[in-house]
Amino acid sequence: MMLKIGLTAILVVTSLSTNAARGKDVSPSIRNIVGACSIPAVLDARTNVWEDHILYPTSDYRNEVEQAVKAIDDAQLREKAAKVANVGTFMWIKTVDDIANLATEASAVPCDNILGLVLDILPYKESKTRSLELDNRTLAQYQTPFIDSIAEIIRSSINTSFAVIVEPRAFPGYFNDTSAGDDLPKSYRENVPYALKALNLPNVVTYIDVGNSNSMDWDLQRDVAAKEILNTFEAAGSPSQFRGFATNVANYNAWDLLPGEFVPADDSRYTRPQNEQQFVRILSDALQKNGLPSRATHGIMDTSRNGVPGLRWTWDDWCNVNGAGFGPRPTSQTRDESLDAFVWVAHPGESDGSSDPSAPGYDAACGKEDAFRPSPAAGQWHQAYFEMLVQNADPTL
Ligand SMILES: *[C@@H]1O[C@H](CO)[C@@H](O)[C@H](O)[C@H]1NC(C)=O
Ligand SMILES: *[C@@H]1O[C@H](CO)[C@@H](O)[C@H](O)[C@H]1NC(C)=O
Ligand SMILES: *[C@@H]1O[C@H](CO)[C@@H](O)[C@H](O)[C@H]1NC(C)=O
């Protein structure tokens, strides 16, 4: 292992200096291609694969950060911000167009990196915000254009390791949002097992998104939820590469803060675990008790924006929380058996939603007192917010 890493490093340095000597522009993409893995990737999902793989810095986020850095005047802040370009984030598949970049992205990933992929395309996921494109698709149309195409690319990218998060917001949505009607449960129960089965490949580990500690009444529902996850797992043919669940995706919850952010105040209808660590332990335990094999009961947690706790007025405030900072960088050093890794799933610096009440699709959470205002539309680059995240990062950049 040491020898392999050493050789890779030497190869990179040699090629870089050769390119530099020839006076070529050494762009990040050239560095990546030089470092790309050339041995088949095989992940053992009985182990924590994050112990010898670090999350790959995806090019779309890296490009956003590189642009953002150029727009910063303060030299000290600029130097800190520049470091963010090298932090790994997940690649999001939200439309068919996003699949087009997957093969290229995968071809640049070094052996000791893992390419994170979020499937965010499940039909009927969000009754309130679902797009017309998704709305009118039948269940079968998820499977062929999305899942089969993605599986095909992953199968051909044999030298690349992947970690896939399946459908943020979907799981708690169908438990606890009755406005979704029967469509979401039907869509989930047909499509998620299909995805887990199709992506059960040697170079992949899969996690299903379960929302976060605040998504449902875990006291009342932990066994119902665990059984549903077990059913999903079995309907997928008990896939060997299934590792567990993803939590806190694009959210702001603290990992192990005690007392929790909202204790003793009870801001909610539900009894909730005080922090993500308690939640992860509760869920992992419930999964084991309900019959999931223990290797399939581990979590990964999004820590991209949870550096500063205690900012929100209520636990439900999810939009561009004001005062936020980057949280722990991706690592397997979680000091908790139940959690494989802290990862950055969201692309911090992209807005959660517009703060302008007259904007299309305006969500009131984005105009609250504890939200950063003004903020642009969801997904748009939010320079002031990004600079705030850099400034308030904990650990510091
Ligand atoms: C994987 O690496 C081998 C070299 O060992 C190379 O021949 C092959 O083209 C690579 N495959 C892909 C898809 O990159
Ligand atoms: C989706 O279906 C609705 C009614 O079923 C229709 O009014 C609408 O135009 C369709 N949208 C698209 C993008 O096809
Ligand atoms: C959410 O789950 C709780 C506990 O099972 C239940 O009491 C509540 O009615 C659910 N809410 C919705 C909107 O379904």
Side-chain angles (χ1 to χ4, degrees):
M1 197 63 200
M2 284 310 291
L3 181 64
K4 204 174 78 195
I5 290 169
L7 278 176
T8 309
I10 290 162
L11 280 174
V12 172
V13 169
T14 309
S15 311
L16 282 178
S17 47
T18 309
N19 282 336
R22 288 197 202 118
K24 277 191 189 165
D25 177 27
V26 184
S27 71
S29 56
I30 290 172
R31 276 202 298 274
N32 282 327
I33 289 160
V34 168
C37 192
S38 57
I39 50 168
V42 179
L43 298 175
D44 182 353
R46 290 168 304 181
T47 67
N48 179 2
V49 301
W50 302 92
E51 277 171 7
D52 48 14
H53 294 85
I54 184 80
L55 186 61
Y56 180 69
T58 49
S59 57
D60 52 351
Y61 185 63
R62 195 170 44 204
N63 291 340
E64 284 181 322
V65 171
E66 282 168 359
Q67 290 307 310
V69 168
K70 288 183 194 153
I72 299 176
D73 291 329
D74 182 86
Q76 215 183 350
L77 192 65
R78 196 167 54 233
E79 194 183 315
K80 287 181 175 182
K83 295 179 184 168
V84 180
N86 296 322
V87 180
T89 51
F90 275 62
M91 185 176 172
W92 288 66
I93 306 291
K94 288 167 176 283
T95 68
V96 172
D97 290 345
D98 294 331
I99 300 175
N101 303 323
L102 182 54
T104 312
E105 194 76 10
S107 70
V109 178
C111 295
D112 58 356
N113 279 218
I114 192 160
L115 179 58
L117 202 61
V118 181
L119 306 186
D120 192 16
I121 41 187
L122 187 72
Y124 305 109
K125 189 150 67 173
E126 276 141 316
S127 45
K128 239 169 47 181
T129 58
R130 62 190 177 189
S131 69
L132 289 177
E133 185 199 0
L134 294 187
D135 233 5
N136 291 6
R137 268 197 280 118
T138 66
L139 297 180
Q141 281 173 321
Y142 178 78
Q143 302 177 359
T144 310
F146 285 104
I147 302 307
D148 293 353
S149 319
I150 292 167
E152 186 50 43
I153 293 167
I154 292 180
R155 209 178 290 115
S156 329
S157 306
I158 50 162
N159 303 334
T160 306
S161 299
F162 293 85
V164 182
I165 294 176
V166 179
E167 300 298 345
R169 305 175 309 284
F171 184 74
Y174 85 78
F175 265 91
N176 248 118
D177 183 0
T178 44
S179 69
D182 293 338
D183 291 338
L184 179 57
K186 185 165 159 45
S187 178
Y188 195 95
R189 289 180 184 132
E190 291 195 20
N191 286 320
V192 170
Y194 185 90
L196 293 176
K197 194 173 201 167
L199 300 176
N200 195 42
L201 301 165
N203 52 335
V204 182
V205 286
T206 51
Y207 297 86
I208 59 171
D209 183 89
V210 292
N212 59 72
S213 52
N214 178 44
S215 298
M216 60 172 86
D217 185 336
W218 295 103
D219 262 357
L220 271 177
Q221 290 183 299
R222 70 179 78 182
D223 289 319
V224 184
K227 284 194 179 79
E228 190 70 33
I229 292 173
L230 179 67
N231 290 344
T232 303
F233 173 77
E234 288 179 342
S238 305
S240 60
Q241 303 303 101
F242 178 77
R243 180 70 182 164
F245 53 92
T247 178
N248 204 43
V249 168
N251 213 309
Y252 297 84
N253 293 340
W255 165 239
D256 59 1
L257 189 72
L258 281 173
E261 269 180 84
F262 299 96
V263 174
D266 179 13
D267 65 303
S268 72
R269 342 181 255 290
Y270 310 137
T271 327
R272 307 178 194 208
Q274 292 190 37
N275 56 43
E276 293 300 299
Q277 184 174 42
Q278 288 194 359
F279 161 59
V280 163
R281 288 175 175 175
I282 287 171
L283 183 58
S284 182
D285 183 60
L287 290 174
Q288 290 186 41
K289 287 193 174 126
N290 282 280
L292 261 284
S294 65
R295 57 121 179 130
T297 61
H298 295 82
I300 50 174
M301 174 188 176
D302 188 352
T303 55
S304 58
R305 301 187 297 184
N306 75 343
V308 185
L311 299 165
R312 291 168 296 176
W313 288 19
T314 81
W315 208 335
D316 290 328
D317 297 354
W318 57 270
C319 190
N320 299 321
V321 172
N322 197 11
F326 290 115
R329 262 55 97 200
T331 177
S332 63
Q333 303 299 307
T334 67
R335 299 196 190 87
D336 194 303
E337 266 297 293
S338 309
L339 196 80
D340 283 346
F342 298 136
V343 288
W344 284 19
V345 184
H347 292 182
E350 291 178 8
S351 176
D352 291 329
S354 173
S355 59
D356 174 3
S358 63
Y362 171 72
D363 188 302
C366 304
K368 287 181 85 165
E369 286 291 314
D370 56 0
F372 190 107
R373 288 161 299 151
S375 287
Q380 297 287 302
W381 188 254
H382 194 342
Q383 181 72 19
Y385 199 86
F386 172 75
E387 292 181 19
M388 180 187 71
L389 290 169
V390 174
Q391 197 79 60
N392 297 344
D394 188 8
T396 184
L397 281 156

